[in-house]
Every structure is written in structure tokens, then in C-alpha cells.
Amino acid sequence: MADLTARDSFAGTAAASSASDDATMRRMRRRGGASRLGWLIPTLYILFLMLPIYWLVNMSFKTNAEILGPITFLPAEPTLRNYAVIFTDPSWYKGYINSIIYVVMNTVISVAVALPAAYAFSRYRFLGDKHLFFWLLTNRMAPPAVFALPFFQLYSAFGLIDTHIAVALAHCLFNVPLAVWILEGFMSGVPKEIDETAYIDGYSFPRFFVKIFMPLIASGIGVAAFFCFMFSWVELLIARTLTTTDAKPIAAIMTRTVSASGLDWGVLAAAGVLTIIPGALVIWFVRNYIAKGFALGRV
Amino acid sequence: MNKTWNNKAWFMVLPVLFLVAISAIIPLMTVVNYSVQDTFGNNEFFWAGAEWFEEMLTSDRFWAAMGRNLLFSGIVLLIEIPLGILIALNMPKSGWGVPVCLVLMALPLLIPWNVVGTIWQVFGRVDIGLLGYALREVGVDYNYVSDPFDAWVTVIVMDVWHWTSLVVLLCYAGLVSIPDAYYQAAKIDGASRWAVFRYIQLPKMNRVLLIAVLLRFMDSFMIYTEPFVVTGGGPGNSTTFLSIDLVKMAVGQFDIGPAAAMSIIYFLIILLLSWVFYTVMTNYDAASDGERRDG
């Protein structure tokens, strides 16, 4: 129909013909782009992803008697006891506070030191820049298992074992390189002319950086901060090695409960659900950047 | 982007250098130190030279863990990469489905790794887990605690569950960057669905796929927490991967010398892989820069 009108009205404007192109495009996409049952594949995949999570949430609202009894697909007598245990017992909820403290410390440190470095990498060439950039990457890729024991000895030497700052600094090993790489990716997208114009206008470097440059890469800073937060939040091996009681992360407290003799499955499930929530809360804001963050800003 | 030569930029990199040096170089030096020394306690150390390296490189235990790890990485890549491409190709391109898919698919990526382990440990148990229960009902004799094959299946399915989304998201990012004009041209030429995939989508996903393969290989090569929580490396040693073996040796048995030697070998492999990753990245960056300048 659109084709017809475009052809008939001899003075068919550019607008009309592009509209018809769009229509063809849409039709074509529907036919050629994905098969009719294409939606089925992502749906099945999401179902597969949600099933174990559903089971965990399901368990967290059950009593232990029900968990250990015959399988039920919904809690027969929903209970909040498991969550109540966590929120009233300091040895449980302190774990969350500890995790959040060191994760936030790490995020702030990582982004703060990464900002100037990323700017240097994106704007200047200097002696050894490529080697340095590569060396940073190797730290992001380094297996935590290699570093667990030396970290323990290093931080014991400084008397920092079981402090939040020790974990925050240790996680800088992989988070600082990550932040530098992500920020460098975003900064390289800002044209250099902006810097030059600002200098001509008489801005000093710090003022330019804070007033003009940082707002331009605000989304990049957000993404870098999110990924530092996330990787520090999900890491356990190093965090567990460096802490004993006062700064023990929630994830480590959970494993301790598993290995204890009296298994409290309900509380374990509730604790697991609570560790998923921070990620689930912020995921909406970074949904378009997740691939970029995991690929070190290189997509 | 044309960059100006300015060695003063070093000052901006100094904080990062300082911080990462503390957490990377000093611990790494300690490891190197241990790898060439022997101790009988009391903080007395003796020069051992390359002894530990020889011991490691000739030990069955190391090569067995290495073999298991390579097998694991291989299987995981073979499943996750094609599956990720398939799902990415069928993701909605516009409308409300896009954010829903992105958010739900990314969820497993943000779960702490030991919680991932816990979720699957519970999910697979025959007495209280949905998966184990369902398999038993169907008549499959499944028990990941005692059967090595079942343990492997559980660990692999868990990794697919955990990380396939990363491949999907990367491929999807590559797919949406393909201009509509390409599809239009293919349509005019009467290209088949397969031809569109083979000659338009795959070449355009080339770069992200390479990143996906490298990231997945490296992360699966260092995997520790998830299988440790689920199987603890067992039954026997059947799921003891390199990192698990390393921690067992260093913390469990306190064999610091061999553990340090193993760390160094391990680290060198990672270094080599990182170098491949870096070369790929910078080559592609340079190529796309050139494209932009020419176009």
C-alpha cells in the first residue's frame, strides 16, 4: 500500500519513500530476521534461569520441617521466621554491613584513582603506556587463588587482617584495572576538541575535569562504579581469607552455616535471597551497559 | 584518536600504579620467593632452586587438575558460545521485550559466586532440591555427591546457568550495531536466513565473540568458588580444578613451595592468554579507528 502511493504520486517526497522503506524493513524483519517461534528460545532460556532462583525464594519462606518434608511447590504455611532470624541476629546482619562497607570503600577508591589514569591513557601517549595498560589487564585476569595466601601474609605484616580496608585494598587488584579500562573506553568517545576548547576558554585542568569532563562521562563513571561494586560483592575467596570475625562478609558467614552440623536450610535460603537483592535493584539502570562492563568497556 | 606525546601523564597514572603495585607486585614477589625455597618451619628457609617447578611439572596431580580444568573449559565453551549466539539471534530487537530480557538474563551474573554454588547445591539435592527430586521421579539415578559423572553434569549446567547470559549480552550488543541497510541489501539479493547469519551477522559479531570466548575461557580456567561450594572438589578428586587444587595445597596442606611454583605456572598461562586478549583488542581498536577515519 505504501509502495503504491509512493509510486503513484509522481512527486513522491523523500519522506514518503523512506516511510515505505521502513514498512518493508519491518515486514522483512518479521519474516527474515527471526522465525515465527523465535520468541520461544529466549523464553525457555529465561525460564531455565529463573527456576533455581524460584526454588531458593520458595525455600526461604518455608519452615525447616516443610523443607525437609515432601516436596511442595509453594510454601504451605508461609513464614517470615528465616528473615527474622537474619535481621535480629547480629552475627548474621553484621555480615551484610561488613560486605557493604568494604564494597563501598573499594568502589570509591577504585573509581577515584582510575579517573585520572583513564584520562591519561585516553588522551596522551607516554613512555611505556601500552605496557602499563597491558599489565593492568593481567591483574584483572589474575586468579584470586594465586593471591589468597600472599595477601594474607602481606596484610598480617601490616596488622590489617580482619579490617574492612584490607579487603577493600585487596579487591583493588582486579577492580582498579577494570575501572581504568571501562573509563578509558568511555573517555575515548569524547572528542578531544572539547578539552582544547576548554583550555582556550581559560579553564584550569582540575576545573575543566570536574566541571566539564566528568559530567560528559557521567554514565561511564556510573558503569565503572557499578562494576567495581559488583565484582567486589561477588568475590569471596580473598574476602574470606582476609577476615576472621569483625569484617567477615555475609557470603562467608553463609558457607560457615552450611558446614555446621545443624543445617538451617531456611535461613541459608533467606540469606541467599538477600545477597541477590542488591544486584537485582541496580540492574535496571545498567541494563544497556552490562555487556560493555564485562568486556572491559570494549564493545 | 590522535594522542599527543606527554610524559607528564605519568603523574596521573601514579596513584593507580602505586595501588595495584601494592596488591599485585608485592604478593607476586612473595610467591616467587616461596617457589624457590624450602622450609621446615621456624621461619628458616633454604634455597631449593627449580626443585618445586620440576616437581610440579612432573607430578600427576598437577597435570590431572590441569586436564580436568581444560576439559571443563572446553565443554563450557562448546555449550555456552553456540547457545549464547542462538539466544541472541532470537532476542527481540525492539519493544518492551528488550529491557525485560536484558534484566532477567543479567540476573545470574550479579549473584555472589558462592550463592550461585549454594543455589545449585540446594537445587540439585535429591531430598530437598527441585532438580534432584524431579530427576529421581523420572527415574534417573542422580546424585552429585557420590557420582563423579553427576557431579560434572551439575557443575557444567551451573556454569551454563551462570555465564551464558554474558555471551548472549555480548552477541546482542554486536547484533544491534548492524545497520539496517545490510539487511535490506541481503533482502534484495534474496539471501537465505543462513546466508544472512553467515555473511552479515557472524562477521559483525566477530569481535564480540572473540571477547566472549577469551573472557569465558579465562574465567572458567580460574573457577574456584562455585564448584567448591557444590562439590568441594569431589567426589574423590573428580571436580578438583586448578584453583581448588592450589588452595588445597597452600592452605589445606601448607605445602607452600609446590603451591607457589604452581601459582607461577598458572599465572604465566594467564599472562599468555591476557596477551592474546590485549592484542586482539588493540588490533580491532586500530582497525575500527582506521575505518572511521576513512569512512
Side-chain angles (χ1 to χ4, degrees), chain B residues 16 24 41 86 90 93-94 98 131 147 189 232 259 263 276 293:
Chain B
V16 164
L86 180 73
N90 287 295
K93 300 277 184 300
S94 56
V98 178
L131 177 69
D147 186 290
D189 290 347
S263 300
V276 174
R293 219 170 291 134

Side-chain angles (χ1 to χ4, degrees), chain A residues 25 28-29 32-33 41 45 49 55 59 113 121 125 127 130 141 151 153 188 230 251 294 298, chain B residues 1 3-4 6-7 10 16 23 34 90 110 114 122 128 161 165-166 180 184 187 193 207 222 278:
Chain A
M25 230 7 253
M28 201 198 79
R29 274 268 185 85
I41 295 169
Y45 176 64
L49 293 185
W55 196 247
M59 255 177 78
V113 299
F121 281 119
R125 294 229 47 207
L127 195 65
K130 287 190 174 145
M141 302 297 181
F151 269 162
Q153 293 176 321
S188 296
M230 196 201 96
F294 272 100
R298 290 296 177 289
Chain B
M1 190 180 295
K3 298 179 186 174
T4 34
N6 182 356
N7 271 329
W10 259 102
V16 164
S23 44
Y34 282 134
N90 287 295
L110 308 179
N114 71 310
V122 170
I128 60 170
W161 180 85
S165 297
L166 176 61
D180 275 351
Q184 274 165 334
K187 182 74 189 162
R193 181 78 194 83
R207 174 184 138 100
M222 325 192 283
Y278 182 76

Side-chain angles (χ1 to χ4, degrees), chain A residues 138-155:
Chain A
T138 64
N139 292 308
R140 157 65 183 83
M141 302 297 181
V146 169
F147 286 90
L149 187 66
F151 269 162
F152 182 79
Q153 293 176 321
L154 177 69
Y155 288 105

Side-chain angles (χ1 to χ4, degrees), chain A:
Chain A
M1 186 64 200
D3 283 3
L4 256 168
T5 37
R7 214 177 298 132
D8 283 353
S9 61
F10 197 68
T13 57
S17 77
S18 86
S20 84
D21 276 358
D22 280 357
T24 344
M25 230 7 253
R26 237 174 290 129
R27 239 176 296 133
M28 201 198 79
R29 274 268 185 85
R30 218 175 296 134
R31 231 178 306 127
S35 56
R36 205 165 293 272
L37 291 174
W39 59 272
L40 204 62
I41 295 169
T43 313
L44 283 178
Y45 176 64
I46 288 175
L47 213 64
F48 163 64
L49 293 185
M50 290 304 128
L51 218 52
I53 297 177
Y54 144 74
W55 196 247
L56 189 77
V57 175
N58 183 16
M59 255 177 78
S60 74
F61 289 109
K62 287 180 180 175
T63 58
N64 274 318
E66 195 187 342
I67 292 170
L68 294 168
I71 294 271
T72 46
F73 294 99
L74 282 174
E77 325 152 22
T79 170
L80 288 173
R81 182 206 76 104
N82 301 322
Y83 291 95
V85 168
I86 290 174
F87 285 116
T88 51
D89 182 352
S91 74
W92 271 106
Y93 69 73
K94 277 231 173 90
Y96 284 99
I97 299 172
N98 290 335
S99 289
I100 288 171
I101 291 175
Y102 74 68
V103 166
V104 169
M105 277 164 109
N106 171 271
T107 307
V108 172
I109 297 172
S110 301
V111 174
V113 299
L115 270 171
Y119 184 80
F121 281 119
S122 84
R123 290 296 191 262
Y124 302 116
R125 294 229 47 207
F126 47 94
L127 195 65
D129 54 351
K130 287 190 174 145
H131 299 284
L132 198 62
F133 207 48
F134 170 64
W135 173 67
L136 284 176
L137 175 75
T138 64
N139 292 308
R140 157 65 183 83
M141 302 297 181
V146 169
F147 286 90
L149 187 66
F151 269 162
F152 182 79
Q153 293 176 321
L154 177 69
Y155 288 105
S156 323
F158 289 104
L160 284 172
I161 290 296
D162 209 16
T163 57
H164 300 108
I165 190 74
V167 186
L169 284 176
H171 281 178
C172 283
L173 171 71
F174 46 83
N175 270 351
V176 167
L178 179 80
V180 172
W181 274 64
I182 292 179
L183 287 172
E184 198 267 347
F186 276 93
M187 285 177 182
S188 296
V190 177
K192 211 180 170 191
E193 286 70 28
I194 289 184
D195 308 27
E196 282 153 9
T197 317
Y199 295 140
I200 292 168
D201 287 351
Y203 275 86
S204 66
F205 177 73
R207 203 161 146 245
F208 153 74
F209 199 82
V210 175
K211 288 264 158 145
I212 297 179
F213 198 68
M214 277 178 46
L216 280 176
I217 53 152
S219 59
I221 296 175
V223 172
F226 169 78
F227 276 92
C228 289
F229 187 94
M230 196 201 96
F231 278 108
S232 184
W233 179 257
V234 298
E235 204 284 332
L236 176 74
L237 180 56
I238 290 174
R240 195 187 59 188
T241 312
L242 292 180
T243 54
T244 48
T245 46
D246 290 343
K248 201 146 190 85
I250 179 62
I253 292 173
M254 273 182 63
T255 46
R256 198 183 51 195
T257 320
V258 175
S259 55
S261 54
L263 293 181
D264 196 337
W265 291 108
V267 176
L268 179 73
V273 171
L274 289 176
T275 61
I276 299 176
I277 288 176
L281 282 181
V282 282
I283 199 170
W284 179 262
F285 301 104
V286 290
R287 64 184 183 280
N288 294 323
Y289 296 104
I290 290 168
K292 200 179 175 97
F294 272 100
L296 298 148
R298 290 296 177 289
V299 167

Side-chain angles (χ1 to χ4, degrees), chain B residues 119-137:
Chain B
I119 288 176
W120 278 87
Q121 191 199 26
V122 170
F123 193 60
R125 277 179 68 110
V126 278
D127 50 348
I128 60 170
L130 188 58
L131 177 69
Y133 173 79
L135 285 175
R136 274 282 158 104
E137 287 293 291

